[in-house]
Amino acid sequence: MKILGIIPARGGSKGVPFKNIKDLNGKPLLQYTAEVALKSKKLSRVILSSDNKKIIDVAKSIGLDVPFVRPVNLSQDKSPTLPVILHALNFLDEIHSEEYDAVCLLQVTTPFRTVSFLDTAIEKFINSGSDSLISTQKVPHEYNPHWVFMKDPDENLKISTGDPEIISRRQELPEAYHRDGSIYITKVEVLQKQESLYGNTICNIESDPDTYVNIDTEKDWVKAEQIAKNLNI
């Protein structure tokens, strides 16, 4: 399966200014994701999608392929991810006549993947036959959907799953997961025809909670610095 790795990194960031190229334990944040992606044996090509010259310059200096400058209209605070991916696919198809079977999206803000973890995720995706794969974390039992309530129109609480009775024992709760943003892999036909990152069938791979962080705030950055020091990377 021919898989395109895309690392999105736009210039704007409110929580941590210019976090994509901010120095984290001796190297730009972007470099953590780039190094893993470039060492992967399962990705056919890895590219950066960015609108910002500083980020592009840093990306090129660490060996990333930057085939285009992302359009401004796809680089706003509220710009969704799907059009960014489709833009990259269309560019590579129209300009370089390159077609891919799937896309692996790797966000810079979750820097502590390993090459082994990434390649295992890709292999699981290929073997599963699923429309997509996402990396996940387990939901703590106190936030399990069977223990979460929502208000109905009469302001009464109802179990979020719609079940009539609450599961009383923690041991009886089914495992629940939330996406953690580290890895998204999707078939190109699902991206283009269904206009979806997920499709109809989704498989998952669990990230290591001890080395996971999704950097959005200064507090997250401090956590990332500590993890990087602990890992000595």
Side-chain angles (χ1 to χ4, degrees):
M1 185 175 280
K2 193 175 180 182
I3 301 178
L4 174 67
I6 299 179
I7 302 175
R10 68 183 185 88
S13 175
K14 293 180 178 179
V16 182
F18 263 97
K19 63 185 174 186
N20 288 320
I21 54 174
K22 184 177 178 179
D23 186 88
L24 178 67
N25 199 36
K27 59 186 180 183
L29 180 63
L30 171 62
Q31 189 169 341
Y32 289 86
T33 297
E35 287 177 345
V36 168
L38 292 172
K39 290 177 183 175
S40 170
K41 297 177 181 178
K42 304 292 184 179
L43 294 175
S44 304
R45 184 178 181 182
V46 178
I47 67 168
L48 178 89
S49 173
S50 181
D51 62 312
N52 185 270
K53 185 179 184 303
K54 288 183 179 179
I55 294 175
I56 290 172
D57 288 345
V58 170
K60 290 181 177 179
S61 74
I62 59 178
L64 271 179
D65 183 2
V66 189
F68 55 76
V69 177
R70 192 199 303 179
V72 174
N73 66 304
L74 297 178
S75 306
Q76 306 304 308
D77 284 343
K78 297 183 180 180
S79 294
T81 300
L82 181 61
V84 172
I85 296 174
L86 293 177
H87 167 263
L89 288 170
N90 292 338
F91 180 92
L92 295 177
D93 184 16
E94 293 174 6
I95 305 301
H96 299 287
S97 299
E98 292 183 18
E99 295 183 354
Y100 293 88
D101 300 304
V103 166
C104 177
L105 185 76
L106 300 170
Q107 300 190 115
V108 178
T109 50
T110 52
F112 303 122
R113 312 168 195 82
T114 64
V115 178
S116 174
F117 179 70
L118 174 57
D119 282 350
T120 298
I122 296 171
E123 188 172 352
K124 183 174 183 179
F125 165 74
I126 294 172
N127 293 336
S128 73
S130 299
D131 288 342
S132 65
L133 175 144
I134 58 174
S135 56
T136 59
Q137 300 274 312
K138 278 193 175 72
V139 174
H141 67 267
E142 61 265 34
Y143 301 125
N144 189 288
H146 292 273
W147 279 7
V148 172
F149 294 86
M150 301 176 69
K151 285 186 176 181
D152 66 14
D154 296 322
E155 295 291 304
N156 295 313
L157 292 178
K158 302 291 184 182
I159 304 171
S160 66
T161 59
D163 293 343
E165 299 291 334
I166 189 170
I167 296 174
S168 59
R169 299 179 68 247
R170 174 179 59 81
Q171 293 82 356
E172 296 175 358
L173 290 171
E175 288 186 345
Y177 304 88
H178 67 87
R179 59 180 183 173
D180 66 17
S182 180
I183 297 176
Y184 295 85
I185 311 174
T186 313
K187 291 179 179 178
V188 167
E189 63 179 358
V190 171
L191 293 165
Q192 293 178 333
K193 295 179 181 179
Q194 297 186 33
E195 297 185 349
S196 170
L197 273 174
Y198 308 101
N200 299 318
T201 53
I202 309 169
C203 63
N204 78 305
I205 187 168
E206 289 188 56
S207 301
D208 183 351
D210 293 330
T211 58
Y212 172 77
V213 64
N214 192 340
I215 302 171
D216 186 49
T217 66
E218 290 290 351
K219 184 178 180 180
D220 298 329
W221 186 271
V222 172
K223 179 181 178 181
E225 288 181 321
Q226 188 58 56
I227 293 174
K229 289 175 182 177
N230 291 343
L231 294 174
N232 194 29
I233 56 176

